Amino acid sequence: MIKAALSVLLVLVAMSSAKYIPKSGKRIPQTLSRGWGDQLIWAQTYEEALYWARSRNKPLMVLFHLEDCPHSLELRKVFSEDNGIQRMLDEEFIVLNLMYETTDKHLSPDGQYVPRIIFVDPTMTVRADIVGRYSNRMYAYEPLDIKLFKSNMEKAKKLLKSEL
Amino acid sequence: MIKAALSVLLVLVAMSSAKYIPKSGKRIPQTLSRGWGDQLIWAQTYEEALYWARSRNKPLMVLFHLEDCPHSLELRKVFSEDNGIQRMLDEEFIVLNLMYETTDKHLSPDGQYVPRIIFVDPTMTVRADIVGRYSNRMYAYEPLDIKLFKSNMEKAKKLLKSEL
C-alpha cells in the first residue's frame, strides 16, 4: 500500500518536472555563435557590443551572415576553424554576429549583403576604411581572403584616438 | 617505419583539427534562450522579431532581463518550468529576450528596468495596454504573478486589426 502510494508520488513528481518538448521533437538550443566560434563571448545586440567596446577599449567586429547563404557558410568554415582568428577575436576584440540588419545605416556603408564584416573603433567610429578585395562589395570576404582578413584585424587593433 | 610515419601523420591531423580553447578553459556555447526556454526559437534582434511577427501574423513577446538580477532569475525559474507558458510561446508567439535595451523608446513606456515584458502586435503596435500588477513598474512580473501573465498572453493573442 505504502509502495503503491510512493509509486504514484514518484509519477506525479516526474510529471510535474517534465520539461516542455515541442511536438516536432526536442530541439538543440540555439547558440549565439551560430557556428562562427563556439568559444567566443558573442554580444547579442549592436547596442550591447558598442557598450562593451567602449568600456573595454577594444575594437568591435560586426559580422552579417545568413544560414542559407553558401558564401556565408564557406567563409564560416574557414573562419571558425582558424585558431589564429579565433584567439585574436577572443582576446582582443568584441564580437557580434547578426543574421539581421540593424537600424544603424553606418553598418552598411555600401549596401546590405552577406557575408559582410565591419570593424568599429571603441570611439564608436565605423572603420569604413578597413575593406576587403571586392570593389562592388567592399566588406565581403571569401575563404581565400583569410590572410587579408587577418591583416585587417591588425589594422582594427590600431585604435583611433582613444578617449581618455 | 611505416607505422612511425603513420603516427606522425595522425598527430599532424590531430593538431590541425584541434579547436581553439581559451586559456581560461573550454566554455559552454552561449545560447539565445539564456535559460528562459531552451526549446523555443528565439529571435536575435528586435528587427528580426518584428519581421517574423508581421510575416507570420503572431504576437511578439519581448522580455528584458539581466543575469545578475535576482528578480529576473526568480521569474526565469517559474517561467522556464511552466509547460503551459512554454507551449503557448512556442506555438503562438514570436519570442525575443534581451539583456540590453534597444534604441526604440516604445519598448520602455514607463522606463527601463528588468524584468520587463512587453507584447507587440503583428501590426507593429506595442501593446502598452497589457500590464502587470505594479503601478510603478507596469510591465514587471514576479513569480506569483504567473497566472496574470498567462491571462495577458491570452490578451496579446487577440490581435488588433490585422492587415490583409
Side-chain angles (χ1 to χ4, degrees), chain A residues 40-79:
Chain A
L40 306 183
I41 313 274
W42 295 90
Q44 189 179 359
T45 66
Y46 186 45
E47 288 76 20
E48 184 183 30
L50 281 180
Y51 176 78
W52 288 354
R54 276 190 79 154
S55 57
R56 296 172 199 175
N57 204 37
K58 286 182 177 182
L60 160 64
M61 179 201 72
V62 185
L63 163 63
F64 293 90
H65 65 104
L66 284 173
E67 284 186 350
D68 55 3
C69 157
H71 300 286
S72 297
L73 295 179
E74 278 167 29
L75 182 64
R76 184 172 78 176
K77 184 167 165 45
V78 178
F79 187 101

Side-chain angles (χ1 to χ4, degrees), chain B residues 4-135:
Chain B
L6 267 175
S7 301
V8 169
L9 193 68
L10 275 174
V11 167
L12 282 174
V13 168
M15 275 174 67
S16 67
S17 68
K19 291 233 168 185
Y20 169 65
I21 294 174
K23 278 182 203 150
S24 52
K26 198 171 176 183
R27 301 182 184 126
I28 297 165
Q30 296 162 281
T31 85
L32 277 168
S33 95
R34 297 190 184 269
W36 292 86
D38 279 355
Q39 293 300 306
L40 305 183
I41 313 273
W42 296 90
Q44 189 179 0
T45 66
Y46 185 45
E47 288 76 19
E48 182 183 31
L50 281 180
Y51 176 78
W52 287 357
R54 277 189 79 154
S55 57
R56 297 173 198 176
N57 204 38
K58 286 181 177 182
L60 160 64
M61 179 201 72
V62 185
L63 163 63
F64 293 91
H65 65 103
L66 284 173
E67 284 186 349
D68 55 3
C69 157
H71 300 286
S72 297
L73 295 179
E74 277 166 28
L75 182 64
R76 184 173 78 176
K77 184 168 164 44
V78 177
F79 187 102
S80 63
E81 290 177 359
D82 188 308
N83 281 355
I85 289 178
Q86 294 288 315
R87 176 169 297 109
M88 215 198 297
L89 287 176
D90 187 35
E91 295 176 357
E92 304 179 81
F93 283 78
I94 303 299
V95 291
L96 171 69
N97 77 76
L98 291 174
M99 296 178 61
Y100 224 80
E101 296 293 334
T102 71
T103 49
D104 191 326
K105 286 179 184 171
H106 295 103
L107 289 177
S108 47
D110 66 344
Q112 300 180 343
Y113 50 83
V114 293
R116 183 169 102 248
I117 301 179
I118 311 269
F119 291 100
V120 185
D121 191 76
T123 59
M124 318 254 288
T125 309
V126 169
R127 296 290 306 267
D129 59 308
I130 303 182
V131 298
R133 202 182 293 284
Y134 312 100
S135 57

Side-chain angles (χ1 to χ4, degrees), chain A residues 19-133:
Chain A
K19 289 235 169 186
Y20 168 66
I21 295 173
K23 278 180 204 151
S24 53
K26 200 172 176 183
R27 301 182 185 125
I28 297 163
Q30 297 162 282
T31 84
L32 277 167
S33 96
R34 299 190 184 268
W36 292 86
D38 278 355
Q39 294 300 305
L40 306 183
I41 313 274
W42 295 90
Q44 189 179 359
T45 66
Y46 186 45
E47 288 76 20
E48 184 183 30
L50 281 180
Y51 176 78
W52 288 354
R54 276 190 79 154
S55 57
R56 296 172 199 175
N57 204 37
K58 286 182 177 182
L60 160 64
M61 179 201 72
V62 185
L63 163 63
F64 293 90
H65 65 104
L66 284 173
E67 284 186 350
D68 55 3
C69 157
H71 300 286
S72 297
L73 295 179
E74 278 167 29
L75 182 64
R76 184 172 78 176
K77 184 167 165 45
V78 178
F79 187 101
S80 63
E81 290 177 359
D82 188 308
N83 281 355
I85 289 179
Q86 294 288 317
R87 177 169 295 109
M88 216 198 296
L89 287 177
D90 187 36
E91 295 176 355
E92 303 180 79
F93 283 78
I94 304 300
V95 290
L96 171 70
N97 77 76
L98 290 174
M99 297 179 59
Y100 224 79
E101 295 294 335
T102 72
T103 49
D104 191 325
K105 286 179 183 169
H106 294 103
L107 289 176
S108 48
D110 66 345
Q112 300 180 345
Y113 50 82
V114 292
R116 183 169 102 247
I117 301 180
I118 312 269
F119 291 101
V120 186
D121 191 77
T123 59
M124 318 255 287
T125 308
V126 169
R127 296 290 306 267
D129 59 308
I130 303 183
V131 297
R133 201 181 293 283

